[in-house]
Amino acid sequence: MDEQWMIGQTSLSLGLNVGGPRGAPSVTRVLLEEDFMSSKKNHEVEALEAELRRVGEENRRLSHMLRALVAKYADLQCKVSGTMAAANNHHQSWTTSEDGSSASATRKRARSDSLDTASRNPSPPLAAAGSSGRFAVSVTVGPDQAECTPVHEPCNSKRVRADEVKASRVSKLYVHADPSDVSLVVKDGFQWRKYGQKVTKDNPCPRAYFRCSFAPSCQVKKKVQRSAEDKTMLVATYDGDHNHAPPPKQQGSGGRKRGDAAAVRVSAAPVLVQQQGESGSFDGGAGGR
DNA sequence: CGTATTTGACCAGCGC
DNA sequence: GCGCTGGTCAAATACG
Ligand SMILES: [Zn+2]
């Protein structure tokens, strides 16, 4: 299923890329000038100019979208490559992405590396789900993921590794949400209760902390933060696994609550693999503090 | 009135 | 030892 979706993305991306370059507008403008010099039909020139402007705007928008799409596609391709050949990691650098060393231009690359590193598991616990307008990628990293040692590390890698080791089950979910959404309350099928919000150092957008409020014995936590540059990307980091039956999407064809048409409701249910192995002795202790 | 969200305070881990 | 940063708590507030 994932491959099919990715193939679709590939074809789309290639098609857009072929027709993407901004060479046509200049040609159109030349033709338009010629028409104007001939002084045949001014109104037609005006119409053409208006259309040209509109097309230019659309082209720019499409270009932007295409760029994001290409970036995502590159991430997915890298991930797939890493999954297929888990041992052959040639061009992976795993730059200082989590450390946050102000990598402005290489933000996408860093994300790609992160995804790729997470996908370097022996078993492929990654799931991709895409809708017509939304984009969601879920990556579940396991405890044995920290075995892979980075290659040429500039400075860090021990802190990140320790963090990964400490976290038993961390699954990242990249969702493509509308930037008009100001509340990071991502309704992904579960009931979350927000318990904190902090402003991180390298990201101007605040990070929201959620906790599963569906079951008292479920201490699944979730961190939601939108990307610094791609305001349309919401990075939801799920920590833990639900030990209760998920609410079966009881939200029918009702109206929205806040009248927000483009809400963030992440309906793309990520097929989180329960291959974490031993799930026992995990749901019992729910004692907080 | 009960519940969810907000938001400042508090704390723990880590680097210098 | 001190400062910084991320994570959590809990009182206050908003909302249904
Ligand atoms: Zn839960």
Side-chain angles (χ1 to χ4, degrees), chain A residues 173 175 177 181 183-192 210 222-225 234-236 238 264-267:
Chain A
L173 180 75
V175 297
D181 170 60
S183 68
L184 296 171
V185 185
V186 180
K187 306 288 281 185
D188 55 352
F190 291 96
Q191 287 188 351
W192 301 96
F210 294 91
K222 177 177 78 167
K223 291 175 286 191
V224 177
Q225 185 179 33
L234 275 179
V235 182
Y238 290 80
V264 201
R265 266 170 40 252
V266 182
S267 59

mmCIF file with all atom_site columns, all heavy atoms in Angstrom, chain A residues 173 175 177 181 183-192 210 222-225 234-236 238 264-267:
data_model
loop_
_atom_site.group_PDB
_atom_site.id
_atom_site.type_symbol
_atom_site.label_atom_id
_atom_site.label_alt_id
_atom_site.label_comp_id
_atom_site.label_asym_id
_atom_site.label_entity_id
_atom_site.label_seq_id
_atom_site.pdbx_PDB_ins_code
_atom_site.Cartn_x
_atom_site.Cartn_y
_atom_site.Cartn_z
_atom_site.occupancy
_atom_site.B_iso_or_equiv
_atom_site.pdbx_formal_charge
_atom_site.auth_seq_id
_atom_site.auth_comp_id
_atom_site.auth_asym_id
_atom_site.auth_atom_id
_atom_site.pdbx_PDB_model_num
ATOM 1   N N   . LEU A 1 173 ? 5.037   11.238 13.952 1.00 0.00 ? 173 LEU A N   1
ATOM 2   C CA  . LEU A 1 173 ? 3.988   11.339 12.949 1.00 0.00 ? 173 LEU A CA  1
ATOM 3   C C   . LEU A 1 173 ? 4.048   12.715 12.314 1.00 0.00 ? 173 LEU A C   1
ATOM 4   O O   . LEU A 1 173 ? 3.842   13.728 12.985 1.00 0.00 ? 173 LEU A O   1
ATOM 5   C CB  . LEU A 1 173 ? 2.623   11.112 13.590 1.00 0.00 ? 173 LEU A CB  1
ATOM 6   C CG  . LEU A 1 173 ? 1.449   11.204 12.634 1.00 0.00 ? 173 LEU A CG  1
ATOM 7   C CD1 . LEU A 1 173 ? 1.365   9.970  11.774 1.00 0.00 ? 173 LEU A CD1 1
ATOM 8   C CD2 . LEU A 1 173 ? 0.170   11.397 13.406 1.00 0.00 ? 173 LEU A CD2 1
ATOM 9   N N   . VAL A 1 175 ? 2.410   15.205 9.989  1.00 0.00 ? 175 VAL A N   1
ATOM 10  C CA  . VAL A 1 175 ? 1.136   15.473 9.356  1.00 0.00 ? 175 VAL A CA  1
ATOM 11  C C   . VAL A 1 175 ? 1.206   16.815 8.656  1.00 0.00 ? 175 VAL A C   1
ATOM 12  O O   . VAL A 1 175 ? 1.893   17.732 9.098  1.00 0.00 ? 175 VAL A O   1
ATOM 13  C CB  . VAL A 1 175 ? -0.011  15.457 10.374 1.00 0.00 ? 175 VAL A CB  1
ATOM 14  C CG1 . VAL A 1 175 ? -0.141  14.098 10.985 1.00 0.00 ? 175 VAL A CG1 1
ATOM 15  C CG2 . VAL A 1 175 ? 0.224   16.494 11.427 1.00 0.00 ? 175 VAL A CG2 1
ATOM 16  N N   . ALA A 1 177 ? -0.786  19.851 7.960  1.00 0.00 ? 177 ALA A N   1
ATOM 17  C CA  . ALA A 1 177 ? -1.992  20.537 8.394  1.00 0.00 ? 177 ALA A CA  1
ATOM 18  C C   . ALA A 1 177 ? -2.014  21.941 7.825  1.00 0.00 ? 177 ALA A C   1
ATOM 19  O O   . ALA A 1 177 ? -1.039  22.444 7.292  1.00 0.00 ? 177 ALA A O   1
ATOM 20  C CB  . ALA A 1 177 ? -2.043  20.577 9.929  1.00 0.00 ? 177 ALA A CB  1
ATOM 21  N N   . ASP A 1 181 ? -4.499  26.835 11.288 1.00 0.00 ? 181 ASP A N   1
ATOM 22  C CA  . ASP A 1 181 ? -4.870  26.243 12.568 1.00 0.00 ? 181 ASP A CA  1
ATOM 23  C C   . ASP A 1 181 ? -3.894  26.731 13.633 1.00 0.00 ? 181 ASP A C   1
ATOM 24  O O   . ASP A 1 181 ? -2.704  26.491 13.561 1.00 0.00 ? 181 ASP A O   1
ATOM 25  C CB  . ASP A 1 181 ? -4.837  24.728 12.468 1.00 0.00 ? 181 ASP A CB  1
ATOM 26  C CG  . ASP A 1 181 ? -4.989  24.099 13.835 1.00 0.00 ? 181 ASP A CG  1
ATOM 27  O OD1 . ASP A 1 181 ? -6.018  24.337 14.481 1.00 0.00 ? 181 ASP A OD1 1
ATOM 28  O OD2 . ASP A 1 181 ? -4.075  23.394 14.252 1.00 0.00 ? 181 ASP A OD2 1
ATOM 29  N N   . SER A 1 183 ? -4.515  26.223 17.051 1.00 0.00 ? 183 SER A N   1
ATOM 30  C CA  . SER A 1 183 ? -4.507  25.298 18.176 1.00 0.00 ? 183 SER A CA  1
ATOM 31  C C   . SER A 1 183 ? -3.927  23.974 17.722 1.00 0.00 ? 183 SER A C   1
ATOM 32  O O   . SER A 1 183 ? -4.329  23.416 16.711 1.00 0.00 ? 183 SER A O   1
ATOM 33  C CB  . SER A 1 183 ? -5.923  25.099 18.703 1.00 0.00 ? 183 SER A CB  1
ATOM 34  O OG  . SER A 1 183 ? -6.687  24.405 17.758 1.00 0.00 ? 183 SER A OG  1
ATOM 35  N N   . LEU A 1 184 ? -3.004  23.497 18.491 1.00 0.00 ? 184 LEU A N   1
ATOM 36  C CA  . LEU A 1 184 ? -2.332  22.247 18.108 1.00 0.00 ? 184 LEU A CA  1
ATOM 37  C C   . LEU A 1 184 ? -3.103  21.039 18.606 1.00 0.00 ? 184 LEU A C   1
ATOM 38  O O   . LEU A 1 184 ? -2.516  19.992 18.827 1.00 0.00 ? 184 LEU A O   1
ATOM 39  C CB  . LEU A 1 184 ? -0.927  22.231 18.703 1.00 0.00 ? 184 LEU A CB  1
ATOM 40  C CG  . LEU A 1 184 ? -0.015  23.323 18.152 1.00 0.00 ? 184 LEU A CG  1
ATOM 41  C CD1 . LEU A 1 184 ? 1.281   23.376 18.951 1.00 0.00 ? 184 LEU A CD1 1
ATOM 42  C CD2 . LEU A 1 184 ? 0.303   23.059 16.703 1.00 0.00 ? 184 LEU A CD2 1
ATOM 43  N N   . VAL A 1 185 ? -4.375  21.184 18.789 1.00 0.00 ? 185 VAL A N   1
ATOM 44  C CA  . VAL A 1 185 ? -5.171  20.056 19.276 1.00 0.00 ? 185 VAL A CA  1
ATOM 45  C C   . VAL A 1 185 ? -5.452  19.142 18.100 1.00 0.00 ? 185 VAL A C   1
ATOM 46  O O   . VAL A 1 185 ? -6.413  19.339 17.364 1.00 0.00 ? 185 VAL A O   1
ATOM 47  C CB  . VAL A 1 185 ? -6.476  20.541 19.916 1.00 0.00 ? 185 VAL A CB  1
ATOM 48  C CG1 . VAL A 1 185 ? -7.236  19.377 20.515 1.00 0.00 ? 185 VAL A CG1 1
ATOM 49  C CG2 . VAL A 1 185 ? -6.177  21.576 20.983 1.00 0.00 ? 185 VAL A CG2 1
ATOM 50  N N   . VAL A 1 186 ? -4.594  18.183 17.921 1.00 0.00 ? 186 VAL A N   1
ATOM 51  C CA  . VAL A 1 186 ? -4.742  17.272 16.791 1.00 0.00 ? 186 VAL A CA  1
ATOM 52  C C   . VAL A 1 186 ? -5.671  16.154 17.178 1.00 0.00 ? 186 VAL A C   1
ATOM 53  O O   . VAL A 1 186 ? -5.353  15.340 18.047 1.00 0.00 ? 186 VAL A O   1
ATOM 54  C CB  . VAL A 1 186 ? -3.368  16.704 16.378 1.00 0.00 ? 186 VAL A CB  1
ATOM 55  C CG1 . VAL A 1 186 ? -3.529  15.762 15.215 1.00 0.00 ? 186 VAL A CG1 1
ATOM 56  C CG2 . VAL A 1 186 ? -2.438  17.843 16.043 1.00 0.00 ? 186 VAL A CG2 1
ATOM 57  N N   . LYS A 1 187 ? -6.827  16.124 16.578 1.00 0.00 ? 187 LYS A N   1
ATOM 58  C CA  . LYS A 1 187 ? -7.776  15.059 16.867 1.00 0.00 ? 187 LYS A CA  1
ATOM 59  C C   . LYS A 1 187 ? -7.464  13.879 15.948 1.00 0.00 ? 187 LYS A C   1
ATOM 60  O O   . LYS A 1 187 ? -7.889  13.829 14.815 1.00 0.00 ? 187 LYS A O   1
ATOM 61  C CB  . LYS A 1 187 ? -9.201  15.544 16.612 1.00 0.00 ? 187 LYS A CB  1
ATOM 62  C CG  . LYS A 1 187 ? -9.511  16.827 17.369 1.00 0.00 ? 187 LYS A CG  1
ATOM 63  C CD  . LYS A 1 187 ? -9.662  16.586 18.868 1.00 0.00 ? 187 LYS A CD  1
ATOM 64  C CE  . LYS A 1 187 ? -11.013 16.009 19.179 1.00 0.00 ? 187 LYS A CE  1
ATOM 65  N NZ  . LYS A 1 187 ? -11.252 15.865 20.611 1.00 0.00 ? 187 LYS A NZ  1
ATOM 66  N N   . ASP A 1 188 ? -6.729  12.967 16.446 1.00 0.00 ? 188 ASP A N   1
ATOM 67  C CA  . ASP A 1 188 ? -6.322  11.822 15.639 1.00 0.00 ? 188 ASP A CA  1
ATOM 68  C C   . ASP A 1 188 ? -7.064  10.568 16.045 1.00 0.00 ? 188 ASP A C   1
ATOM 69  O O   . ASP A 1 188 ? -6.600  9.464  15.841 1.00 0.00 ? 188 ASP A O   1
ATOM 70  C CB  . ASP A 1 188 ? -4.817  11.612 15.769 1.00 0.00 ? 188 ASP A CB  1
ATOM 71  C CG  . ASP A 1 188 ? -4.419  11.473 17.230 1.00 0.00 ? 188 ASP A CG  1
ATOM 72  O OD1 . ASP A 1 188 ? -5.296  11.696 18.083 1.00 0.00 ? 188 ASP A OD1 1
ATOM 73  O OD2 . ASP A 1 188 ? -3.265  11.136 17.506 1.00 0.00 ? 188 ASP A OD2 1
ATOM 74  N N   . GLY A 1 189 ? -8.208  10.711 16.644 1.00 0.00 ? 189 GLY A N   1
ATOM 75  C CA  . GLY A 1 189 ? -8.985  9.539  17.002 1.00 0.00 ? 189 GLY A CA  1
ATOM 76  C C   . GLY A 1 189 ? -8.985  9.275  18.497 1.00 0.00 ? 189 GLY A C   1
ATOM 77  O O   . GLY A 1 189 ? -9.902  8.661  19.017 1.00 0.00 ? 189 GLY A O   1
ATOM 78  N N   . PHE A 1 190 ? -7.956  9.727  19.170 1.00 0.00 ? 190 PHE A N   1
ATOM 79  C CA  . PHE A 1 190 ? -7.895  9.544  20.613 1.00 0.00 ? 190 PHE A CA  1
ATOM 80  C C   . PHE A 1 190 ? -8.268  10.851 21.307 1.00 0.00 ? 190 PHE A C   1
ATOM 81  O O   . PHE A 1 190 ? -8.315  11.914 20.690 1.00 0.00 ? 190 PHE A O   1
ATOM 82  C CB  . PHE A 1 190 ? -6.502  9.105  21.039 1.00 0.00 ? 190 PHE A CB  1
ATOM 83  C CG  . PHE A 1 190 ? -6.169  7.713  20.591 1.00 0.00 ? 190 PHE A CG  1
ATOM 84  C CD1 . PHE A 1 190 ? -5.457  7.502  19.421 1.00 0.00 ? 190 PHE A CD1 1
ATOM 85  C CD2 . PHE A 1 190 ? -6.573  6.623  21.338 1.00 0.00 ? 190 PHE A CD2 1
ATOM 86  C CE1 . PHE A 1 190 ? -5.157  6.227  19.002 1.00 0.00 ? 190 PHE A CE1 1
ATOM 87  C CE2 . PHE A 1 190 ? -6.266  5.344  20.916 1.00 0.00 ? 190 PHE A CE2 1
ATOM 88  C CZ  . PHE A 1 190 ? -5.561  5.137  19.751 1.00 0.00 ? 190 PHE A CZ  1
ATOM 89  N N   . GLN A 1 191 ? -8.487  10.712 22.591 1.00 0.00 ? 191 GLN A N   1
ATOM 90  C CA  . GLN A 1 191 ? -8.808  11.899 23.380 1.00 0.00 ? 191 GLN A CA  1
ATOM 91  C C   . GLN A 1 191 ? -7.560  12.350 24.113 1.00 0.00 ? 191 GLN A C   1
ATOM 92  O O   . GLN A 1 191 ? -7.025  11.652 24.975 1.00 0.00 ? 191 GLN A O   1
ATOM 93  C CB  . GLN A 1 191 ? -9.919  11.571 24.385 1.00 0.00 ? 191 GLN A CB  1
ATOM 94  C CG  . GLN A 1 191 ? -11.279 11.410 23.712 1.00 0.00 ? 191 GLN A CG  1
ATOM 95  C CD  . GLN A 1 191 ? -12.381 11.290 24.742 1.00 0.00 ? 191 GLN A CD  1
ATOM 96  O OE1 . GLN A 1 191 ? -12.129 11.160 25.924 1.00 0.00 ? 191 GLN A OE1 1
ATOM 97  N NE2 . GLN A 1 191 ? -13.614 11.329 24.285 1.00 0.00 ? 191 GLN A NE2 1
ATOM 98  N N   . TRP A 1 192 ? -7.108  13.517 23.766 1.00 0.00 ? 192 TRP A N   1
ATOM 99  C CA  . TRP A 1 192 ? -5.883  14.045 24.368 1.00 0.00 ? 192 TRP A CA  1
ATOM 100 C C   . TRP A 1 192 ? -6.217  15.231 25.253 1.00 0.00 ? 192 TRP A C   1
ATOM 101 O O   . TRP A 1 192 ? -7.079  16.040 24.936 1.00 0.00 ? 192 TRP A O   1
ATOM 102 C CB  . TRP A 1 192 ? -4.894  14.462 23.282 1.00 0.00 ? 192 TRP A CB  1
ATOM 103 C CG  . TRP A 1 192 ? -4.516  13.343 22.377 1.00 0.00 ? 192 TRP A CG  1
ATOM 104 C CD1 . TRP A 1 192 ? -5.063  13.050 21.164 1.00 0.00 ? 192 TRP A CD1 1
ATOM 105 C CD2 . TRP A 1 192 ? -3.525  12.361 22.621 1.00 0.00 ? 192 TRP A CD2 1
ATOM 106 N NE1 . TRP A 1 192 ? -4.442  11.949 20.639 1.00 0.00 ? 192 TRP A NE1 1
ATOM 107 C CE2 . TRP A 1 192 ? -3.504  11.506 21.500 1.00 0.00 ? 192 TRP A CE2 1
ATOM 108 C CE3 . TRP A 1 192 ? -2.642  12.112 23.659 1.00 0.00 ? 192 TRP A CE3 1
ATOM 109 C CZ2 . TRP A 1 192 ? -2.624  10.428 21.416 1.00 0.00 ? 192 TRP A CZ2 1
ATOM 110 C CZ3 . TRP A 1 192 ? -1.774  11.047 23.564 1.00 0.00 ? 192 TRP A CZ3 1
ATOM 111 C CH2 . TRP A 1 192 ? -1.772  10.212 22.452 1.00 0.00 ? 192 TRP A CH2 1
ATOM 112 N N   . PHE A 1 210 ? 0.634   16.762 25.176 1.00 0.00 ? 210 PHE A N   1
ATOM 113 C CA  . PHE A 1 210 ? -0.687  16.156 25.387 1.00 0.00 ? 210 PHE A CA  1
ATOM 114 C C   . PHE A 1 210 ? -0.521  14.836 26.132 1.00 0.00 ? 210 PHE A C   1
ATOM 115 O O   . PHE A 1 210 ? 0.539   14.218 26.104 1.00 0.00 ? 210 PHE A O   1
ATOM 116 C CB  . PHE A 1 210 ? -1.390  15.897 24.057 1.00 0.00 ? 210 PHE A CB  1
ATOM 117 C CG  . PHE A 1 210 ? -1.734  17.146 23.317 1.00 0.00 ? 210 PHE A CG  1
ATOM 118 C CD1 . PHE A 1 210 ? -0.858  17.689 22.400 1.00 0.00 ? 210 PHE A CD1 1
ATOM 119 C CD2 . PHE A 1 210 ? -2.932  17.792 23.541 1.00 0.00 ? 210 PHE A CD2 1
ATOM 120 C CE1 . PHE A 1 210 ? -1.168  18.838 21.713 1.00 0.00 ? 210 PHE A CE1 1
ATOM 121 C CE2 . PHE A 1 210 ? -3.247  18.945 22.862 1.00 0.00 ? 210 PHE A CE2 1
ATOM 122 C CZ  . PHE A 1 210 ? -2.363  19.466 21.939 1.00 0.00 ? 210 PHE A CZ  1
ATOM 123 N N   . LYS A 1 222 ? 2.121   12.812 24.046 1.00 0.00 ? 222 LYS A N   1
ATOM 124 C CA  . LYS A 1 222 ? 2.259   13.247 22.661 1.00 0.00 ? 222 LYS A CA  1
ATOM 125 C C   . LYS A 1 222 ? 2.745   14.683 22.632 1.00 0.00 ? 222 LYS A C   1
ATOM 126 O O   . LYS A 1 222 ? 2.269   15.531 23.386 1.00 0.00 ? 222 LYS A O   1
ATOM 127 C CB  . LYS A 1 222 ? 0.912   13.128 21.945 1.00 0.00 ? 222 LYS A CB  1
ATOM 128 C CG  . LYS A 1 222 ? 0.939   13.632 20.521 1.00 0.00 ? 222 LYS A CG  1
ATOM 129 C CD  . LYS A 1 222 ? -0.378  13.409 19.867 1.00 0.00 ? 222 LYS A CD  1
ATOM 130 C CE  . LYS A 1 222 ? -1.409  14.442 20.278 1.00 0.00 ? 222 LYS A CE  1
ATOM 131 N NZ  . LYS A 1 222 ? -2.597  14.429 19.426 1.00 0.00 ? 222 LYS A NZ  1
ATOM 132 N N   . LYS A 1 223 ? 3.699   14.922 21.773 1.00 0.00 ? 223 LYS A N   1
ATOM 133 C CA  . LYS A 1 223 ? 4.206   16.281 21.617 1.00 0.00 ? 223 LYS A CA  1
ATOM 134 C C   . LYS A 1 223 ? 3.911   16.729 20.194 1.00 0.00 ? 223 LYS A C   1
ATOM 135 O O   . LYS A 1 223 ? 4.263   16.035 19.241 1.00 0.00 ? 223 LYS A O   1
ATOM 136 C CB  . LYS A 1 223 ? 5.714   16.326 21.871 1.00 0.00 ? 223 LYS A CB  1
ATOM 137 C CG  . LYS A 1 223 ? 6.080   16.091 23.320 1.00 0.00 ? 223 LYS A CG  1
ATOM 138 C CD  . LYS A 1 223 ? 7.561   16.020 23.522 1.00 0.00 ? 223 LYS A CD  1
ATOM 139 C CE  . LYS A 1 223 ? 8.119   14.712 23.003 1.00 0.00 ? 223 LYS A CE  1
ATOM 140 N NZ  . LYS A 1 223 ? 9.505   14.497 23.414 1.00 0.00 ? 223 LYS A NZ  1
ATOM 141 N N   . VAL A 1 224 ? 3.305   17.857 20.086 1.00 0.00 ? 224 VAL A N   1
ATOM 142 C CA  . VAL A 1 224 ? 2.921   18.378 18.773 1.00 0.00 ? 224 VAL A CA  1
ATOM 143 C C   . VAL A 1 224 ? 3.606   19.723 18.573 1.00 0.00 ? 224 VAL A C   1
ATOM 144 O O   . VAL A 1 224 ? 3.471   20.623 19.394 1.00 0.00 ? 224 VAL A O   1
ATOM 145 C CB  . VAL A 1 224 ? 1.402   18.534 18.645 1.00 0.00 ? 224 VAL A CB  1
ATOM 146 C CG1 . VAL A 1 224 ? 1.049   19.152 17.310 1.00 0.00 ? 224 VAL A CG1 1
ATOM 147 C CG2 . VAL A 1 224 ? 0.720   17.196 18.795 1.00 0.00 ? 224 VAL A CG2 1
ATOM 148 N N   . GLN A 1 225 ? 4.330   19.825 17.485 1.00 0.00 ? 225 GLN A N   1
ATOM 149 C CA  . GLN A 1 225 ? 5.000   21.077 17.170 1.00 0.00 ? 225 GLN A CA  1
ATOM 150 C C   . GLN A 1 225 ? 5.091   21.215 15.663 1.00 0.00 ? 225 GLN A C   1
ATOM 151 O O   . GLN A 1 225 ? 5.466   20.280 14.964 1.00 0.00 ? 225 GLN A O   1
ATOM 152 C CB  . GLN A 1 225 ? 6.398   21.076 17.783 1.00 0.00 ? 225 GLN A CB  1
ATOM 153 C CG  . GLN A 1 225 ? 7.107   22.394 17.600 1.00 0.00 ? 225 GLN A CG  1
ATOM 154 C CD  . GLN A 1 225 ? 8.483   22.367 18.234 1.00 0.00 ? 225 GLN A CD  1
ATOM 155 O OE1 . GLN A 1 225 ? 9.126   21.330 18.261 1.00 0.00 ? 225 GLN A OE1 1
ATOM 156 N NE2 . GLN A 1 225 ? 8.932   23.498 18.735 1.00 0.00 ? 225 GLN A NE2 1
ATOM 157 N N   . LEU A 1 234 ? 2.978   19.544 10.783 1.00 0.00 ? 234 LEU A N   1
ATOM 158 C CA  . LEU A 1 234 ? 2.847   19.339 12.217 1.00 0.00 ? 234 LEU A CA  1
ATOM 159 C C   . LEU A 1 234 ? 3.582   18.064 12.580 1.00 0.00 ? 234 LEU A C   1
ATOM 160 O O   . LEU A 1 234 ? 3.281   16.999 12.048 1.00 0.00 ? 234 LEU A O   1
ATOM 161 C CB  . LEU A 1 234 ? 1.375   19.221 12.618 1.00 0.00 ? 234 LEU A CB  1
ATOM 162 C CG  . LEU A 1 234 ? 0.625   20.526 12.858 1.00 0.00 ? 234 LEU A CG  1
ATOM 163 C CD1 . LEU A 1 234 ? -0.811  20.242 13.213 1.00 0.00 ? 234 LEU A CD1 1
ATOM 164 C CD2 . LEU A 1 234 ? 1.289   21.310 13.956 1.00 0.00 ? 234 LEU A CD2 1
ATOM 165 N N   . VAL A 1 235 ? 4.523   18.168 13.442 1.00 0.00 ? 235 VAL A N   1
ATOM 166 C CA  . VAL A 1 235 ? 5.290   16.999 13.870 1.00 0.00 ? 235 VAL A CA  1
ATOM 167 C C   . VAL A 1 235 ? 4.744   16.542 15.200 1.00 0.00 ? 235 VAL A C   1
ATOM 168 O O   . VAL A 1 235 ? 4.899   17.220 16.208 1.00 0.00 ? 235 VAL A O   1
ATOM 169 C CB  . VAL A 1 235 ? 6.778   17.334 13.990 1.00 0.00 ? 235 VAL A CB  1
ATOM 170 C CG1 . VAL A 1 235 ? 7.566   16.101 14.377 1.00 0.00 ? 235 VAL A CG1 1
ATOM 171 C CG2 . VAL A 1 235 ? 7.289   17.903 12.690 1.00 0.00 ? 235 VAL A CG2 1
ATOM 172 N N   . ALA A 1 236 ? 4.090   15.408 15.182 1.00 0.00 ? 236 ALA A N   1
ATOM 173 C CA  . ALA A 1 236 ? 3.521   14.849 16.407 1.00 0.00 ? 236 ALA A CA  1
ATOM 174 C C   . ALA A 1 236 ? 4.368   13.669 16.837 1.00 0.00 ? 236 ALA A C   1
ATOM 175 O O   . ALA A 1 236 ? 4.507   12.698 16.105 1.00 0.00 ? 236 ALA A O   1
ATOM 176 C CB  . ALA A 1 236 ? 2.073   14.421 16.180 1.00 0.00 ? 236 ALA A CB  1
ATOM 177 N N   . TYR A 1 238 ? 4.641   10.716 19.262 1.00 0.00 ? 238 TYR A N   1
ATOM 178 C CA  . TYR A 1 238 ? 3.874   9.888  20.196 1.00 0.00 ? 238 TYR A CA  1
ATOM 179 C C   . TYR A 1 238 ? 4.843   9.104  21.064 1.00 0.00 ? 238 TYR A C   1
ATOM 180 O O   . TYR A 1 238 ? 5.755   8.464  20.566 1.00 0.00 ? 238 TYR A O   1
ATOM 181 C CB  . TYR A 1 238 ? 2.965   8.932  19.433 1.00 0.00 ? 238 TYR A CB  1
ATOM 182 C CG  . TYR A 1 238 ? 1.817   9.628  18.747 1.00 0.00 ? 238 TYR A CG  1
ATOM 183 C CD1 . TYR A 1 238 ? 2.016   10.276 17.541 1.00 0.00 ? 238 TYR A CD1 1
ATOM 184 C CD2 . TYR A 1 238 ? 0.549   9.640  19.294 1.00 0.00 ? 238 TYR A CD2 1
ATOM 185 C CE1 . TYR A 1 238 ? 0.978   10.927 16.906 1.00 0.00 ? 238 TYR A CE1 1
ATOM 186 C CE2 . TYR A 1 238 ? -0.500  10.275 18.668 1.00 0.00 ? 238 TYR A CE2 1
ATOM 187 C CZ  . TYR A 1 238 ? -0.275  10.913 17.478 1.00 0.00 ? 238 TYR A CZ  1
ATOM 188 O OH  . TYR A 1 238 ? -1.305  11.552 16.844 1.00 0.00 ? 238 TYR A OH  1
ATOM 189 N N   . VAL A 1 264 ? -7.433  20.539 11.863 1.00 0.00 ? 264 VAL A N   1
ATOM 190 C CA  . VAL A 1 264 ? -6.238  19.704 11.743 1.00 0.00 ? 264 VAL A CA  1
ATOM 191 C C   . VAL A 1 264 ? -6.573  18.242 11.881 1.00 0.00 ? 264 VAL A C   1
ATOM 192 O O   . VAL A 1 264 ? -5.695  17.407 11.777 1.00 0.00 ? 264 VAL A O   1
ATOM 193 C CB  . VAL A 1 264 ? -5.226  20.095 12.825 1.00 0.00 ? 264 VAL A CB  1
ATOM 194 C CG1 . VAL A 1 264 ? -3.845  19.644 12.436 1.00 0.00 ? 264 VAL A CG1 1
ATOM 195 C CG2 . VAL A 1 264 ? -5.283  21.562 13.053 1.00 0.00 ? 264 VAL A CG2 1
ATOM 196 N N   . ARG A 1 265 ? -7.831  17.942 12.144 1.00 0.00 ? 265 ARG A N   1
ATOM 197 C CA  . ARG A 1 265 ? -8.237  16.569 12.419 1.00 0.00 ? 265 ARG A CA  1
ATOM 198 C C   . ARG A 1 265 ? -7.459  15.567 11.600 1.00 0.00 ? 265 ARG A C   1
ATOM 199 O O   . ARG A 1 265 ? -7.735  15.317 10.439 1.00 0.00 ? 265 ARG A O   1
ATOM 200 C CB  . ARG A 1 265 ? -9.717  16.408 12.133 1.00 0.00 ? 265 ARG A CB  1
ATOM 201 C CG  . ARG A 1 265 ? -10.559 16.595 13.363 1.00 0.00 ? 265 ARG A CG  1
ATOM 202 C CD  . ARG A 1 265 ? -12.000 16.657 13.000 1.00 0.00 ? 265 ARG A CD  1
ATOM 203 N NE  . ARG A 1 265 ? -12.341 15.714 11.960 1.00 0.00 ? 265 ARG A NE  1
ATOM 204 C CZ  . ARG A 1 265 ? -12.619 16.065 10.735 1.00 0.00 ? 265 ARG A CZ  1
ATOM 205 N NH1 . ARG A 1 265 ? -12.545 17.319 10.388 1.00 0.00 ? 265 ARG A NH1 1
ATOM 206 N NH2 . ARG A 1 265 ? -12.953 15.176 9.860  1.00 0.00 ? 265 ARG A NH2 1
ATOM 207 N N   . VAL A 1 266 ? -6.488  14.978 12.208 1.00 0.00 ? 266 VAL A N   1
ATOM 208 C CA  . VAL A 1 266 ? -5.674  14.006 11.481 1.00 0.00 ? 266 VAL A CA  1
ATOM 209 C C   . VAL A 1 266 ? -6.433  12.701 11.438 1.00 0.00 ? 266 VAL A C   1
ATOM 210 O O   . VAL A 1 266 ? -6.340  11.877 12.327 1.00 0.00 ? 266 VAL A O   1
ATOM 211 C CB  . VAL A 1 266 ? -4.317  13.821 12.171 1.00 0.00 ? 266 VAL A CB  1
ATOM 212 C CG1 . VAL A 1 266 ? -3.475  12.852 11.382 1.00 0.00 ? 266 VAL A CG1 1
ATOM 213 C CG2 . VAL A 1 266 ? -3.629  15.152 12.323 1.00 0.00 ? 266 VAL A CG2 1
ATOM 214 N N   . SER A 1 267 ? -7.181  12.531 10.407 1.00 0.00 ? 267 SER A N   1
ATOM 215 C CA  . SER A 1 267 ? -7.954  11.297 10.296 1.00 0.00 ? 267 SER A CA  1
ATOM 216 C C   . SER A 1 267 ? -7.121  10.172 9.703  1.00 0.00 ? 267 SER A C   1
ATOM 217 O O   . SER A 1 267 ? -7.546  9.046  9.620  1.00 0.00 ? 267 SER A O   1
ATOM 218 C CB  . SER A 1 267 ? -9.172  11.528 9.412  1.00 0.00 ? 267 SER A CB  1
ATOM 219 O OG  . SER A 1 267 ? -8.756  11.957 8.143  1.00 0.00 ? 267 SER A OG  1
#
